[in-house]
Each structure stands twice: as structure tokens, then as C-alpha cells.
Amino acid sequence: MKSCITVWLALLVAGAFGVPAVDRRDVQDAAKFRWCVPAELLDDCVRLTGTAAVPIGCVGGIDRLDCLRKVQNRQADYLVADPEDVYVASHFDNQDFVVFSELRTAEEPTAMFRYEGIMLVRASDNFHSLADLRGKRSCHTGFGRNVGYKIPVTRLQRAGVLKLPPGDGSLSPVERELAGLSELFSASCLPGSYSSDAGIDRLLKGRYANLCERCNQPQQCAKDDRYAGYEGAIRCLVENGGDVAFSKTIYVRKYFGLPVTPGGLPVPALNPSARAEDFVYLCENGTTRPIADGQPVCSWAQRPWQVLLGNGDLSGAGLQELQTLGQQLHRYWTDPNNQVSDADRRTAQKLWIDQKAPIVDRQNTVAPREYLAQANYAEVIEREGRFGNVLRLCVVSEDERQKCELMRQAAYSRDIRPALQCVLKTADACVAAVRDGTQADVVVLRQPNVELKPLMWETYDDVMVAIADKTITNERLRSGPVALDSSNEQAAAAARILSSKLPSLRVVDVNSPDGVSAPIRIVRSKTLTENQDNTDKVLVCVDLSFQPLSNVANCHLESNLNSERNAAAIYVRQDVDEALQDSVVHAFTALSEAFGRGHSKEQVFRMFGPFRLRDGEVKEHLIFHDYASELAVSK
């Protein structure tokens, strides 16, 4: 009997996740074009394309970056991608991709970009150059956001107005940017979390308190502040004594009641008492432009649309046919006159098929780098230089190095800093390199190491554990039996691990007569917190010791190819300085909160889970355990 993870992998590799294999073959055989989606969306994709009778087949990838590989290797024809995915694609070895359609908004279907970053100032302040921003009070959409943070930091630094402290390692990359903004502006509202770690967030907001001074609630300086967001930044300027707002054009039009689309009809003003003629756009060359309808906008960087990204084979009549099919599919699922249920429309939205996001086909395909260059967007991602401050992660095998490299690209594109650099050594050499601080800064280990200092540990959201009454004895343990849900293959695999230590241990179904009175039960760890009746229980570990229920990380029965069942930990050198320690905690917390289990970007890159190597082989437990859910600072 295979474990649940093994069965899942087999389905994934076969491309049959969520639907019968015969149905998958029928769909694929009828399809000329193949759409790659993350594995958990494959069933939805097959259902949507099959119901609409559009000859597009569906291919499952582990995540979106795995789909990039499948498209590049001609195992699929296209995927739906964010601009950050396009950036990653542009740095693949021998990259061969084309952007052929965009997902725009119904509100701005003709706009070249998803939005344009602008600086809004008062006309009466008579700005003549970007240098006039020094000492002013700034209003930002939020920390880490594109138009309110990344773009201003990028362009003001390029213009020589924003001066960052030296990149000598004494300050983390994030703190260098905060220090520069704090020095440039006398007061600001830069709301949001400056670090995923709450302690570091408080430290930075205390150190650079003027960056929160103009917020409605300076002590919280939270992302939901009244002066946060696109509209909030403009409100901060107009209503709260700011001098410059970093926002985007469509919200300027909405705030002042101008037509959303140039030449269109005016919209109700968000602030009827504010006068558009009192405010102007500040351009990078120091000139200003009125914000009235029909006037050209001087934006200084743009965010591209989400796109349909295919391989280089898409061209000519074949591309036109795919675009036609895509439009048919979109119309079928978004036409309000079609008899499609609300539930099915929500399913379509998971795959970015939405009335509010019409597909606009390009007449000419464009390569990823050129597409990003049109919006100066690669420059925004690379604002501190691609090879600036780095965090050197030591890995112990070529398989781990491949996963590290893709994780590095995913993290860098999503603004996780400092940037990772992957260093390949043997396990002992990794420990020595981190201990000496010469060639590596951090390593992930699954066994305790007294030479290094642990900073963070894996946590497990749901793994198989054995529990027993606190009164259990070793003799009673050996006599058994152990009860489990016999239909759960993951539980059966866990029982085999326990039986390897107790060969005579009987395994019974939890609902059988013997199961009701069994002294040991195998359950999911998630049930330990959900069930209040477990307060008098203990965990039974693989070494047959008894541990508190809180020690799930090191006392579970999850299958592991390497037979190492300790929680993986992030290790640094013993005498680590504060700046490096903060950088490690910030970077790995951000990684976990982006790509960890159940988090926002897990479909982009699966930090915890199986990984497909370049040769197509799928490997488990690389760098981290597949069943981990996130990383935590304290154990």
C-alpha cells in the first residue's frame, strides 16, 4: 500500500490529479493546445474547458513555476502568469517564451498597463525638480507596494534624490531603504508591516518613527490605516497635510471626479470638495502637468498586466487559433446570458476567467524581457541591483541546489530581500562554511548542531501522530493494538512506521470492537487542537518515548525518505550579528508567508512539497520536509 504522498505524486506525474485517467486522455487527445495550471486547479480546468466544448487540454504542474518549465519543454503550450512570473521566465536558461495576450480590466480595457505610478503634488508648491521633495511630507500606498514604495525607491534612488546608507552589511536591505526614506522626507505615512517578524517590525517603526507620523494612527501604522492604499495616499495629501502622494492615475481620476477613461464621462468624485485644478502631476524631469481630463500623464513606471505566456512555437495561424479559442472560453464563462451557475463562475475565477478581466489579444507577440522593459518593471524588481546584498544559503545536493535556485528566483521576483544565493557543498562543509562565515550565511539542518545557532524551525499544520492516555506504560504500548481509519492511506503508512519498532503490534480499524478500546490511536495532528478531549493524552514517538502534545514537530509519524524526523531548522553562526540575524529572520519569514502551505503565493512556488527536477523526476523532502507548513522563530 502506497502512502498518501506517494499516490498524490503518481497522480501528479501522470497529469491526472482530480479526474479519472480515461477522462484525462480523452480531453488531451481532442485538444490541440495545452493549458498548464497548478495541480489543485487541474480538475477545475478540465471541467471548464470540457463543459465549454473548447478544444483546450489541461496539464497539471506542481506550481506555476513548474508550469513555466513545462511550457518551455513543450509539455504544455501556455499558462496564465503575473508580471513577476514573466520576470522569472526571462531569466530561465535558454528561455523561449512569448507574451501573446493580456488580462486587462473591464474598467480600462484599452490601457497599455495595469496601472501607472505617479507623484501628485499641490500646484501652489511650485515644484521645479525632484530635489524639491527633500524635507517634504510624503504619502504612500503602503510598505512594499509597487506604486507607493518600490517605484519611488527605485526612481528616486536613480535620480540621486534618495540616498541609501552604505551596503556594508551593517543594515539589512529593507532597513537601508527605510533609513533613506526617513532621511529624505520630514514626515510620512508609510503604512504596513516592515517585516513579517513582529519584533523586527516594531523595532524598525520605532527607529524610523517619522515614516508613520502622518498616518491616521501612527502607533499602529497598519496597512488598513485611513491613509493607506491608492485612495488613502491621495486623501493623506489632500486632507492630512501631506506634500506628495505616490498613487496611480485611475484613483486620481476617481478622487476628483474625472473620467476614468480619458474622453469618457466624469464619475462621482470621492471628495466633491477637492478641486482638481489645485493639484498637478510631478514629472521626473521636474516639470508638472495638470490632472484635468485629456492631458498627458507623466508616470514614472508602470505595472504590466497579467498575461497569457506561451512557448516560442506559438506563431502565425496557430497562435490566432489559440487566441480565438481563448476568447470563446472567456465568453462562455463570463457572458451573463449564458446559463452558468454562480458556483461555476467562481470556479472560473480561480483560473482568472472573469467578467472584470477581459482577455485582450496582442497582434504581435513579445518576449518577456521586452514586455517588462516597456513598463520599466524589471528595473523596479531589481532596484538595489541584481547582485547587491545577498544571503548565502548552503545546500547539500544537486537536487537541493535546483530547488534553491527556483526558490531564489521566485523570492526575488516577489521582492523578498535580501536575495538568496545558493551555495552547494557537502553537509559537513556547509556547517563549516556557515560557522566560519566565509562562504555561506545559513544552512537548513534536520539534526541538532552544537556548532551553529538555530533561528527558526519548521512547524507542521497537519501530520499523522500516535496518541495514548497519559497513563500509558511501555508494557501496555507493546501489547497494543493501534487503531486507525483503515481507509486513510496516510494513517496506514504512519502505522507501518510505528510497527517497524513494534513488529508484533496489531493494527485495527478505529470503528471495530478492538478499535474502540485500543490504547493507541493514529490521528491527524490538526485534531489535537480541535478536540478538547485530548487534554489527557500524550504523543507516542517513533523511538517509543512519550512526549507532550505540543511536541508534534519532533514526534510525528510522517513518512520521510531519509528517515530523519526532526523538524528542520534554519542555522547561522554562533556569533551572528544583529543585522545578519534580522536579515535571515526577515527573509525566511517572508518566504514562508508567501510560499508556505495555504499562503498567498503557494501556487506560484511550493516551498513545502514535492519538487520536479530539470530532468522531470519528482523528489520529496528537498531542503525542507514536504509536510511542513511554515517557519517559526520560536520552537
Side-chain angles (χ1 to χ4, degrees):
M1 185 182 293
K2 295 180 180 179
S3 72
C4 182
I5 289 178
T6 304
V7 172
W8 187 88
L9 283 169
L11 290 170
L12 180 63
V13 173
F17 191 81
V19 290
V22 63
D23 292 343
R24 290 289 306 123
R25 285 197 299 269
D26 289 346
V27 172
Q28 291 297 99
D29 289 346
K32 182 173 182 180
F33 299 103
R34 298 158 299 170
W35 177 7
C36 190
V37 298
E40 62 267 37
L41 298 178
L42 185 56
D43 191 24
D44 294 326
C45 180
V46 171
R47 182 160 156 243
L48 295 183
T49 55
T51 304
V54 174
I56 295 176
C58 300
V59 175
I62 291 175
D63 48 41
R64 213 183 296 159
L65 297 196
D66 188 43
C67 276
L68 277 180
R69 285 249 179 90
K70 283 181 172 283
V71 169
Q72 183 181 35
N73 295 335
R74 276 46 177 183
Q75 296 167 312
D77 296 299
Y78 75 98
L79 74 154
V80 184
D82 282 324
E84 291 79 10
D85 304 325
V86 176
Y87 177 84
V88 173
S90 73
H91 288 89
F92 267 22
D93 291 339
N94 305 312
Q95 71 93 7
D96 181 24
F97 299 98
V98 292
V99 173
F100 62 88
S101 297
E102 296 169 328
L103 277 69
R104 298 186 179 178
T105 63
E107 206 169 30
E108 295 183 288
T110 61
M112 285 188 61
F113 306 106
R114 182 178 174 185
Y115 52 71
E116 299 178 272
I118 53 88
M119 292 177 285
L120 186 68
V121 297
R122 287 186 183 80
S124 61
D125 284 345
N126 295 316
F127 278 83
H128 297 291
S129 73
L130 293 184
D132 292 339
L133 289 170
R134 179 161 296 280
K136 294 295 192 292
R137 294 161 296 188
S138 61
C139 302
H140 306 257
T141 57
F143 173 80
R145 296 183 63 169
N146 281 293
V147 299
Y149 183 82
K150 295 179 187 177
I151 292 173
V153 168
T154 301
R155 307 299 284 190
L156 292 176
Q157 188 179 353
R158 178 177 177 179
V161 176
L162 178 64
K163 308 289 187 181
L164 302 189
D168 56 6
S170 60
L171 297 179
S172 68
V174 170
E175 186 166 0
R176 289 181 67 225
E177 292 179 348
L178 294 174
L181 289 170
S182 178
E183 188 273 335
L184 174 61
F185 297 114
S186 61
S188 304
C189 180
L190 178 61
S193 296
Y194 294 178
S195 173
S196 301
D197 179 80
I200 297 175
D201 179 56
R202 286 192 298 271
L203 176 69
L204 293 173
K205 285 178 178 174
R207 193 172 287 171
Y208 306 104
N210 68 318
L211 294 180
C212 295
E213 186 178 315
R214 299 309 302 172
C215 290
N216 188 51
Q217 295 182 301
Q219 296 304 315
Q220 284 75 37
C221 197
K223 65 179 181 181
D224 59 352
D225 192 89
R226 173 174 168 75
Y227 300 125
Y230 302 118
E231 178 189 334
I234 301 170
R235 190 186 298 121
C236 170
L237 165 67
V238 179
E239 305 171 25
N240 195 42
D243 296 315
V244 57
F246 300 99
S247 189
K248 64 179 184 178
T249 52
I250 187 172
Y251 277 86
V252 174
R253 294 173 186 144
K254 288 180 176 180
Y255 188 87
F256 292 103
L258 302 172
V260 169
T261 302
L265 296 176
V267 297
L270 295 175
N271 183 354
S273 64
R275 302 195 321 157
E277 57 267 31
D278 292 340
F279 297 87
V280 292
Y281 293 122
L282 175 61
C283 307
E284 282 191 90
N285 63 5
T287 62
T288 58
R289 291 183 185 175
I291 63 176
D293 184 31
Q295 297 294 322
V297 175
C298 56
S299 64
W300 54 351
Q302 300 80 29
R303 177 172 171 80
W305 296 104
Q306 293 166 320
V307 301
L308 303 187
L309 184 66
N311 59 51
D313 290 348
L314 294 177
S315 61
L319 174 60
Q320 293 174 3
E321 183 180 357
L322 175 58
Q323 290 176 328
T324 299
L325 292 174
Q327 294 288 358
Q328 290 175 353
L329 183 66
H330 190 270
R331 281 195 296 272
Y332 179 87
W333 286 99
T334 61
D335 186 345
N337 295 320
N338 277 348
Q339 297 302 308
V340 178
S341 69
D342 290 340
D344 285 342
R345 291 194 196 279
R346 287 193 294 271
T347 299
Q349 287 171 353
K350 295 180 187 177
L351 294 153
W352 299 356
I353 298 177
D354 191 341
Q355 271 185 307
K356 297 179 181 179
I359 297 173
V360 177
D361 296 327
R362 296 181 61 92
Q363 292 185 343
N364 299 306
T365 61
V366 60
R369 290 176 188 173
E370 183 181 347
Y371 184 72
L372 296 174
Q374 292 171 356
N376 294 321
Y377 200 63
E379 182 182 71
V380 173
I381 292 175
E382 299 171 356
R383 62 183 182 275
E384 84 292 0
R386 289 191 58 219
F387 304 103
N389 192 296
V390 297
L391 191 63
R392 299 167 296 177
L393 172 61
C394 201
V395 293
V396 301
S397 69
E398 170 58 22
D399 293 349
E400 285 197 352
R401 189 197 67 79
Q402 288 191 32
K403 180 175 181 178
C404 179
E405 282 293 330
L406 206 56
M407 182 168 68
R408 175 189 67 79
Q409 294 182 61
Y412 190 81
S413 71
R414 260 72 188 183
D415 200 42
I416 294 175
R417 300 293 189 273
L420 293 179
Q421 182 179 23
C422 305
V423 179
L424 175 59
K425 293 182 178 293
T426 65
D428 289 343
C430 273
V431 170
V434 173
R435 181 194 63 216
D436 299 338
T438 53
Q439 296 176 305
D441 302 304
V442 62
V443 63
V444 181
L445 299 176
R446 298 178 186 176
Q447 297 291 344
N449 188 286
V450 297
E451 296 184 71
L452 303 177
K453 176 182 178 179
L455 287 183
M456 304 178 73
W457 285 264
E458 290 177 336
T459 61
Y460 304 134
D461 180 52
D462 196 19
V463 289
M464 286 295 173
V465 294
I467 62 172
D469 290 338
K470 286 183 177 179
T471 57
I472 190 79
T473 63
N474 282 318
E475 183 179 358
R476 186 72 179 97
L477 174 64
R478 293 177 187 279
S479 61
V482 59
L484 52 79
D485 178 0
S486 58
S487 66
N488 187 324
E489 295 200 25
Q490 196 172 2
R496 289 196 296 275
I497 291 174
L498 194 59
S499 297
S500 68
K501 299 293 183 179
L502 296 170
S504 61
L505 186 68
R506 286 191 304 124
V507 178
V508 299
D509 187 85
V510 69
N511 295 315
S512 68
D514 286 344
V516 173
S517 59
I520 316 154
R521 288 186 296 125
I522 291 178
V523 298
R524 292 189 177 278
S525 62
K526 187 179 288 186
T527 66
L528 300 182
T529 55
E530 296 172 349
N531 190 346
Q532 299 300 316
D533 295 334
N534 286 329
T535 55
D536 61 344
K537 304 294 183 183
V538 292
L539 297 172
V540 180
C541 305
V542 175
D543 63 1
L544 305 185
S545 66
F546 306 126
Q547 297 288 336
L549 297 186
S550 60
N551 198 20
V552 170
N554 291 315
C555 185
H556 58 82
L557 301 175
E558 201 67 50
S559 174
N560 186 328
L561 296 180
N562 298 319
S563 300
E564 299 168 343
R565 299 182 180 88
N566 285 322
I570 310 295
Y571 282 86
V572 295
R573 65 179 184 267
Q574 289 282 3
D575 61 345
V576 61
D577 59 73
E578 181 183 342
L580 177 57
Q581 180 167 310
D582 288 351
S583 290
V584 172
V585 171
H586 177 83
F588 280 91
T589 302
L591 276 167
S592 175
E593 292 192 348
F595 308 120
R597 196 171 302 280
H599 285 286
S600 59
K601 300 295 187 296
E602 187 185 11
Q603 287 185 2
V604 173
F605 175 79
R606 220 170 286 278
M607 186 174 177
F608 308 114
F611 178 77
R612 195 187 314 276
L613 302 175
R614 287 177 179 170
D615 63 6
E617 183 180 3
V618 176
K619 288 292 189 76
E620 298 173 282
H621 306 296
L622 293 180
I623 306 179
F624 306 102
H625 290 109
D626 287 0
Y627 42 76
S629 57
E630 60 184 9
L631 299 174
V633 175
S634 59
K635 198 172 180 180

